[in-house]
Amino acid sequence: MSDARRAPPDAAGAAPRVSPLVYRAVVFVMGLPLRLRGERVEVQGQGHVPSPGTPLIVAANHRTALDPFIIAASLPPGRFLQFMAKKELFVPVIGHIIRAGGSFPVDRSTNDLGAVRTSLRILQAGGTLGIFPEGTRGGGELHGGVALLALKGKAPILPVGLRREGKRWLVRFGPPLPPTGGIKALTAEVGDRLAELAGEPLPSRVDEGAL
């Protein structure tokens, strides 16, 4: 059963719903710049992605504004990636489209407990939560929020490395990391896996609770 079908209706305390039609349309439109520039996406390790209908956190390194859409297009059918998006994006029209695609706002200036609760509801509904542990593009800090959510939501973390080489984008999925141990150790393991998959060093962890 797909993430979209498992998600409960919009209501207080419910996970954000995904409109598959809007989701696929946004992913397609946002991929147009790559195709128009003659760029291609190569996906490796897709077999590591667990079957739909089970909770999963997708964690990736972050370099461009197109990263969420490249990852979403690289996932097998049935997985609908729901990202935390900075609250500044939720303006009229654009914000409605983002919400229809299943993503939700986060206040990056503080530890946003509302975003944490929404993330856990997505996982409890068997959904797919997307997080960039660096926070911002080339963030310089590796936050521990991904480990915190994995442990609280009892969801494995699927590490994804993104790398661009000229007109070739490489998306590499690694084996899922089980939600075990402490925040510090799990965050360090996520950082090591992302650096390995992306083929580049990532910043060290700083705040264990930051999103």
Side-chain angles (χ1 to χ4, degrees):
M1 183 178 292
S2 74
D3 295 14
R5 290 176 182 171
R6 285 181 61 90
D10 286 326
R17 289 178 25 168
V18 179
S19 167
L21 181 62
V22 173
Y23 180 94
R24 295 188 184 102
V26 170
V27 171
F28 175 81
V29 169
M30 295 305 296
L32 285 176
L34 275 66
R35 292 188 285 273
L36 292 175
R37 294 195 297 259
E39 300 176 12
R40 60 187 178 88
V41 177
E42 180 181 325
V43 182
Q44 298 179 358
Q46 200 178 59
H48 292 306
V49 183
S51 301
T54 57
L56 182 68
I57 296 176
V58 175
N61 61 310
H62 196 16
R63 289 297 175 267
T64 77
L66 292 177
D67 293 348
F69 310 102
I70 293 173
I71 298 171
S74 301
L75 287 170
R79 281 282 178 189
F80 293 86
L81 193 56
Q82 295 179 257
F83 265 100
M84 287 186 184
K86 60 182 180 180
K87 66 176 185 178
E88 292 81 5
L89 293 175
F90 288 81
V91 296
V93 182
I94 295 177
H96 179 73
I97 295 173
I98 295 174
R99 287 186 187 278
S103 293
F104 57 98
V106 58
D107 185 348
R108 299 183 302 178
S109 66
T110 183
N111 287 336
D112 190 337
L113 295 181
V116 170
R117 286 190 287 266
T118 300
S119 299
L120 292 176
R121 289 170 189 145
I122 289 172
L123 297 176
Q124 290 164 3
T128 308
L129 179 67
I131 298 181
F132 294 113
E134 294 169 90
T136 58
R137 296 194 295 272
E141 296 180 341
L142 192 63
H143 301 305
V146 62
L148 175 68
L149 291 170
L151 294 170
K152 284 187 174 294
K154 298 179 173 56
I157 300 172
L158 181 73
V160 186
L162 290 94
R163 185 181 183 89
R164 183 180 180 182
E165 301 171 348
K167 291 192 174 184
R168 174 177 174 258
W169 293 77
L170 180 60
V171 180
R172 299 180 67 194
F173 294 105
L177 304 175
T180 57
I183 293 176
K184 183 176 181 179
L186 186 54
T187 301
E189 187 173 6
V190 170
D192 290 344
R193 291 290 182 89
L194 293 184
E196 178 184 350
L197 291 167
E200 59 184 46
L202 263 70
S204 60
R205 179 193 58 80
V206 287
D207 188 343
E208 293 184 6
L211 297 174

